[in-house]
Amino acid sequence: MIAKVIVDVPTGQTNRLYDYKIPEEMEEFIQPGMRVNVPFGPRQIQGFVTDTTASTEVKRIKEITSLLDPSPVLSGELLQLGRWIAEETVCFLITAYQSMVPSAIRAKPKKRLFLAEDSEAVPVEIADAFAGKTILDWEAFPAEKKAMKLLNEEIQAGRVIVDYLLKNRTEKKMQTILSLAKEYQAAGSKHNLSGNAKKQQQIVEWMQNELGDKEIAQPELLEKTEAGRQAVRALVDKGLLIEKKTEFYRDPYKDKMFQKSTALPLMEEQQTAVDNILESLHKGRTDSYLLHGVTGSGKTEVYLQAIDEVISQGKEAIVLVPEISLTPQMVNRFKGRFGAEVAVLHSALSAGEKYDEWRKIHRKEVKVAVGARSAVFAPFDNLGLIVMDEEHEGSYKQEDHPRYHAKHVAIWRAEYHHCPVVFGSATPSLESYVRAEKGVYTLLELPQRVNRKAMPEVTIQDMREELRQGNRSVFSTLLLDKLKERIDKKEQSVLFLNRRGHSTFVMCRDCGFTPSCPHCEITLTYHHTNRRLKCHYCGHEEQMLHTCPSCQSSQIRFFGTGTQKVEEELTRLLPEARVIRMDMDTTSRKGSHEKLLDAFGRGEADILLGTQMIAKGLDFPKITLAGILAADTMLHLPDFRAAERTFQLLTQVSGRAGRDELKGEVVVQSYTPEHYSIQHAKTHNYKAFYQEEMLQRRRGGYPPFYYLAMVNAAHEDLAEVMKTADKITEYIRSSLSEKAVVLGPTVSPIARIKDRYRYQCMIKYKNEPELTKVLQSVAERYNSEIAKGKLQLSMDMYPYMFM
Ligand code: ADP
Ligand code: ZN
Ligand code: ZN
């Protein structure tokens, strides 16, 4: 038998399936989706088995060296999905597969087998292999055909458990679960323990009274009965207690109690939304829904109730949430409703924790996966619903290979499983809203806040006017007054500082000199914490300058407004205010994010000051004022989505105020208050913004009127990259239809990164079925130069970043 293997060498030359002979003893064991070690040239290399066949064209065939996984890590569905992603995003197949499994599993973990039940329950060959123990190294299992076949069956049946032992991690624990044997479960039922086995009698009686037929973990039993291990062992040996081994997960949320929540009676529009989604679920239809609901309209409750039905149908659900909205508050809402049925996939988890969460899904121990972008690959086999909350978020697009958009993957999987998919947002992306208008997605609307609560009132403060009146502070007089008012009334405020465009940089006041990175064409950023200058692209660092290298002036200073500076100014202007600052600096340590939010929730501060990370998901009843310090910093970025992002951000931040009984208010400070994205955010008018922005997009020839693709070439030699970019652009132009617009090549907005010069070519198109093939052949043409490490080429089919 032959295995088709994709090897773990991400290069153009190796981006194909290789044939390997399956050793006879593995024939009945090996399955697609398992990983293997194979000889490859002089080396041993990992690979995924994608298929098995009976014959091969290859004459001198090599044999698989060893099997890495006792059970497949990729299902048939995910193997197929990986092929689609590789094609759609023009990446190597191995890269697509690697992105679907947790990184911990890639790090060559040690594999072990656990016997989950008594050795009598398994075939004698298996019992022999374990030789009286309950743990066996996978490598030590006899490589013999019959035994392997039997092992396969035992694993399927759950009597043998496969475990991956991570390096530098506390190993996954097996826990002993105990229960009374059937005949001893009733309280007072007879046993023939001798009179001097006091402790044993005590245990049995306690269990009869407290547990009956229920199970208990051994450590808990020992604690409750103050008994020793020997007493319990003796009871197991005598057959009064039944012992079972189960896995014990590192649960990052285990110390937290989740307040149990129950379904709320729905508002009419919510009910309509749930009914629609469930109809698709029951009929097994792949319908895509756009749930457009203003902030605080109860979208999450719609997801929760739809998922409840999914679970009772015996199916599973994936909930995608942008990384920064995956706050403890958000997690609590799902854990509170579905408890242990929920796995959470979050980038802040350690590799081991992520792996555990992934395994819960892989082993069908949970029904719901809540997580950021990559959770879209959650290895469920029976999906009933996929939800993508805040569907407009750019973070759903992966900016590294494979450059996929989670939305496209979600739709692919929904089609595979014949289940509905819901995209939710208060500010849908134009791409999605236009699809809803055309009927590709079904539009579900929640136009009002729950219980018809009013939207907060938004005031726009013209900062140019403030300047004219001599106020050079980052706070307008109006905002300061309102902040004071809140402190007096013992209410809370959030202050939002847009990080983008606000990094602190250094400039000479005399000649205008600004230090930039010697390797990248970008200004260095000043870091308060260690008083050094740093490049955000390559990590280059240098000392803060005290004299200007260009004119020798000592008037060289840093500019810009970081959160730290704003905090300083705030405490100077409002010394009575208690401020909590949330930014990269104060939340880098694990758990600090949650601690700060909890403190704010307990009312230990009046003002929460922060960056992007506070714009989402905060739901505190005492917040009645939201302030945005500089609304327009994003408007001037070289990005056609700048206005859309500004509108989304303002809407999100306003959504934080007045979510409960108290009425909310918003102050937006701006240097361009007349801009339509700011004006329409003021009136909470998504539709008007959408219409105006659509006109702009049509004029510029941007999505959703055209699709975009981008090719970026980078090389150390400027002449070389210009030549290559020219050739590539010319080739693309000649290969596509007349209707495609091929722009460039032009130098990228950041002209050099890590000593490589960068050029780009942008493609605007409506219908080019050959496009991915054309780009694929571009990549193939330059394979050898890329392999030599000289040239870098990146293809992006859904570009979100234009730097
Ligand atoms: P969104 O996700 O649209 O911003 P949420 O789902 O967070 O809105 O809902 C806002 C608040 O309203 C939450 O505190 C939620 O518990 C509450 N809520 C949602 N639906 C209902 C309902 N039908 N009845 C009462 N309260 C509700
Ligand atoms: Zn740099
Ligand atoms: Zn100078």
Side-chain angles (χ1 to χ4, degrees):
M1 267 182 79
I2 306 300
K4 301 268 179 205
V5 176
I6 181 90
V7 293
D8 193 1
V9 185
T11 66
Q13 286 91 341
T14 52
N15 189 31
R16 63 180 188 85
L17 299 177
Y18 289 89
D19 287 3
Y20 284 94
K21 186 174 173 345
I22 302 174
E24 201 191 320
E25 70 272 13
M26 292 181 199
E27 274 183 5
E28 306 247 17
F29 191 78
I30 215 159
Q31 292 165 53
M34 288 179 174
R35 291 167 315 149
V36 287
N37 264 331
V38 291
F40 194 76
R43 295 180 290 167
Q44 283 291 324
I45 272 181
Q46 272 194 27
F48 286 88
V49 174
T50 63
D51 216 343
T52 56
T53 59
S55 65
T56 176
E57 313 270 270
V58 183
K59 297 263 155 45
R60 288 176 47 221
I61 191 158
K62 292 181 187 159
E63 201 176 65
I64 289 172
T65 315
S66 61
L67 191 53
L68 289 170
D69 298 306
S71 68
V73 292
L74 289 176
S75 64
E77 180 205 354
L78 293 180
L79 285 168
Q80 199 178 322
L81 174 60
R83 283 195 289 273
W84 182 78
I85 288 176
E87 234 167 73
E88 282 292 302
T89 71
V90 195
C91 78
F92 304 129
L93 186 54
I94 188 69
T95 311
Y97 287 155
Q98 294 293 30
S99 70
M100 295 179 172
V101 292
S103 58
I105 219 173
R106 284 180 241 164
K108 302 194 179 161
K110 193 175 154 91
K111 270 87 47 184
R112 302 195 304 183
L113 303 172
F114 282 86
L115 206 51
E117 291 183 24
D118 280 352
S119 48
E120 279 107 74
V122 299
V124 59
E125 286 84 351
I126 303 288
D128 282 355
F130 277 87
K133 301 210 191 69
T134 50
I135 302 175
L136 182 67
D137 280 348
W138 162 237
E139 283 77 19
F141 190 85
E144 189 262 307
K145 194 170 178 177
K146 178 156 185 230
M148 301 267 310
K149 181 176 191 304
L150 290 169
L151 177 61
N152 195 15
E153 287 162 14
E154 295 308 296
I155 291 173
Q156 300 297 328
R159 288 186 290 267
V160 172
I161 295 172
V162 180
D163 179 37
Y164 291 78
L165 198 60
L166 303 176
K167 276 186 206 135
N168 309 324
R169 287 289 314 172
T170 51
E171 62 188 84
K172 156 117 46 37
K173 296 191 185 75
M174 294 300 285
Q175 199 174 45
T176 306
I177 303 287
L178 298 157
S179 58
L180 285 167
K182 266 226 157 41
E183 57 271 39
Y184 304 105
Q185 283 171 357
S189 53
K190 274 218 174 48
H191 53 72
N192 45 9
L193 289 170
S194 77
N196 42 19
K198 279 257 157 41
K199 203 73 224 180
Q200 294 176 32
Q201 288 186 11
Q202 239 177 305
I203 294 173
V204 170
E205 277 154 28
W206 183 87
M207 288 179 77
Q208 286 175 340
N209 292 328
E210 301 292 325
L211 299 176
D213 59 353
K214 289 201 203 61
E215 301 175 333
I216 188 166
Q218 177 164 300
E220 202 185 334
L221 178 66
L222 297 182
E223 193 189 311
K224 288 266 158 63
T225 58
E226 294 174 1
R229 254 169 231 277
Q230 297 86 340
V232 171
R233 282 266 70 79
L235 286 169
V236 172
D237 289 343
K238 290 174 190 161
L240 275 84
L241 293 191
I242 305 292
E243 171 188 51
K244 199 169 79 176
K245 302 262 182 216
T246 59
E247 284 182 42
F248 177 70
Y249 292 105
R250 291 174 280 265
D251 185 349
Y253 297 96
K254 71 167 180 290
D255 296 333
K256 289 210 49 162
M257 296 298 284
F258 292 98
Q259 199 165 7
K260 189 103 189 84
S261 78
T262 45
L264 301 167
L266 293 177
M267 313 275 294
E268 197 184 325
E269 296 93 341
Q270 285 177 312
Q271 189 64 55
T272 308
V274 171
D275 290 347
N276 267 279
I277 298 165
L278 294 187
E279 194 189 330
S280 302
L281 170 73
H282 293 140
K283 297 202 167 142
R285 279 198 323 240
T286 308
D287 294 325
S288 303
Y289 290 98
L290 179 62
L291 179 61
H292 178 207
V294 299
T295 55
S297 59
K299 294 186 287 295
T300 313
E301 189 63 30
V302 170
Y303 309 149
L304 289 168
Q305 299 205 14
I307 292 169
D308 206 32
E309 174 64 14
V310 168
I311 294 177
S312 61
Q313 297 270 310
K315 296 189 173 182
E316 300 130 359
I318 295 176
V319 183
L320 301 171
V321 180
E323 191 72 54
I324 41 173
S325 324
L326 199 49
T327 56
Q329 277 189 325
M330 188 73 178
V331 170
N332 287 358
R333 292 181 74 176
F334 285 87
K335 289 244 173 182
R337 195 68 59 90
F338 306 118
E341 302 267 39
V342 182
V344 180
L345 299 161
H346 191 294
S347 75
L349 302 179
S350 70
E353 287 167 342
K354 265 187 223 160
Y355 165 69
D356 280 347
E357 297 294 301
W358 179 83
R359 280 175 57 73
K360 287 185 200 166
I361 304 167
H362 196 231
R363 301 259 309 278
K364 317 278 175 286
E365 292 171 358
V366 294
K367 293 282 185 197
V368 185
V370 180
R373 182 178 61 231
S374 65
V376 75
F377 298 122
F380 285 127
D381 286 332
N382 194 14
L383 279 174
L385 178 66
I386 303 177
V387 171
M388 179 181 260
D389 193 29
E390 314 270 10
E391 66 85 35
H392 59 273
E393 268 290 310
S395 65
Y396 283 125
K397 163 68 194 310
Q398 172 145 308
E399 290 302 338
D400 197 0
H401 283 305
R403 294 192 165 84
Y404 67 92
H405 196 299
K407 181 183 288 176
H408 304 137
V409 178
I411 293 174
W412 189 97
R413 294 199 73 184
E415 279 170 357
Y416 186 95
H417 290 275
H418 307 290
C419 76
V421 51
V422 179
F423 303 115
S425 177
T427 52
S429 63
L430 269 71
E431 287 92 329
S432 293
Y433 203 79
V434 78
R435 285 193 174 91
E437 283 202 320
K438 286 185 178 160
V440 181
Y441 300 165
T442 305
L443 185 62
L444 302 169
E445 292 185 291
L446 307 178
Q448 283 185 300
R449 284 187 157 181
V450 167
N451 297 330
R452 309 283 177 255
K453 208 167 298 147
M455 296 300 287
E457 188 174 321
V458 180
T459 311
I460 298 175
Q461 192 60 21
D462 188 342
M463 292 306 275
R464 295 169 304 192
E465 195 53 41
E466 289 286 315
L467 213 59
R468 257 174 247 136
Q469 298 184 356
N471 179 7
R472 304 188 56 179
S473 149
V474 293
F475 295 98
S476 60
T477 320
L478 179 83
L479 181 54
L480 266 187
D481 286 348
K482 293 205 182 286
L483 283 169
K484 275 192 207 128
E485 227 178 270
R486 293 311 184 291
I487 297 176
D488 293 342
K489 285 200 279 185
K490 304 217 173 342
E491 293 172 7
Q492 290 181 306
S493 311
V494 286
L495 281 182
F496 177 81
L497 181 70
N498 191 5
R499 189 163 43 89
R500 264 178 279 197
H502 264 282
S503 54
T504 43
F505 64 102
V506 171
M507 192 167 82
C508 170
R509 292 198 170 187
D510 286 330
C511 77
F513 168 85
T514 311
S516 59
C517 175
H519 313 287
C520 313
E521 220 97 311
I522 189 172
T523 310
L524 293 173
T525 304
Y526 178 71
H527 280 243
H528 288 268
T529 30
N530 55 6
R531 300 184 187 282
R532 286 172 74 83
L533 299 170
K534 195 168 175 185
C535 169
H536 276 192
Y537 283 86
C538 72
H540 168 85
E541 266 190 50
E542 50 188 71
Q543 286 292 337
M544 172 62 189
L545 298 166
H546 297 290
T547 48
C548 170
S550 168
C551 76
Q552 272 69 49
S553 157
S554 58
Q555 293 293 320
I556 188 158
R557 300 271 186 279
F558 57 81
F559 284 81
T561 334
T563 40
Q564 205 170 352
K565 265 192 85 188
V566 174
E567 186 186 18
E568 280 164 25
E569 189 164 342
L570 192 57
T571 40
R572 190 171 55 78
L573 294 169
L574 288 179
E576 70 274 32
R578 297 167 303 162
V579 181
I580 288 181
R581 188 180 105 223
M582 270 180 73
D583 56 20
M584 292 301 223
D585 282 344
T586 62
T587 58
S588 56
R589 232 174 312 128
K590 213 180 147 195
S592 48
H593 189 262
E594 183 170 6
K595 271 207 199 94
L596 291 175
L597 280 184
D598 282 350
F600 190 67
R602 285 192 304 266
E604 287 170 21
D606 308 299
I607 300 171
L608 180 64
L609 165 69
T611 52
Q612 256 83 348
M613 63 178 72
I614 64 166
K616 305 241 156 81
L618 282 184
D619 194 356
F620 293 120
K622 282 258 162 118
I623 301 177
T624 57
L625 175 66
I628 302 169
L629 294 182
D632 21 30
T633 47
M634 265 191 316
L635 272 180
H636 312 295
L637 293 177
D639 183 336
F640 73 92
R641 289 191 178 91
E644 186 180 6
R645 294 215 173 111
T646 301
F647 179 81
Q648 288 163 350
L649 190 69
L650 297 192
T651 306
Q652 285 296 345
V653 176
S654 343
R656 296 313 113 213
R659 290 174 72 88
D660 208 54
E661 297 307 315
L662 304 166
K663 191 165 161 30
E665 196 180 355
V666 181
V667 176
V668 176
Q669 302 189 156
S670 166
Y671 290 91
T672 46
E674 63 283 353
H675 193 277
Y676 64 94
S677 62
I678 296 176
Q679 286 299 328
H680 294 315
K682 173 183 161 70
T683 51
H684 311 288
N685 195 339
Y686 173 81
K687 213 45 196 289
F689 169 77
Y690 166 78
Q691 277 154 359
E692 195 147 355
E693 180 67 5
M694 284 294 272
L695 291 177
Q696 304 290 341
R697 299 286 180 90
R698 184 197 297 273
R699 218 169 281 155
Y702 284 114
F705 294 96
Y706 279 87
Y707 293 105
L708 284 187
M710 192 145 86
V711 179
N712 195 297
H715 199 291
E716 286 185 10
D717 185 337
L718 179 60
E720 200 60 40
V721 72
M722 285 168 73
K723 210 172 73 195
T724 309
D726 260 340
K727 274 195 205 156
I728 291 175
T729 309
E730 212 33 65
Y731 174 74
I732 294 173
R733 202 169 272 142
S734 65
S735 312
L736 298 181
S737 82
E738 300 261 291
K739 287 198 191 125
V741 183
V742 181
L743 299 171
T746 57
V747 58
S748 303
I750 297 171
R752 195 167 47 126
I753 293 182
K754 296 186 193 170
D755 290 320
R756 282 193 157 107
Y757 295 93
R758 306 169 75 231
Y759 272 75
Q760 66 187 33
C761 158
M762 198 190 293
I763 304 141
K764 294 180 174 177
Y765 66 100
K766 292 208 174 189
N767 183 19
E768 298 293 332
E770 295 300 309
L771 179 59
T772 55
K773 287 206 189 74
V774 171
L775 296 185
Q776 187 68 51
S777 67
V778 169
E780 277 160 19
R781 159 76 184 70
Y782 290 97
N783 267 344
S784 61
E785 264 155 278
I786 294 169
K788 278 184 232 141
K790 294 246 165 85
L791 177 70
Q792 286 179 346
L793 268 191
S794 74
M795 316 283 183
D796 196 337
M797 297 302 292
Y798 328 101
Y800 269 74
M801 304 233 278
F802 298 90
M803 305 310 258

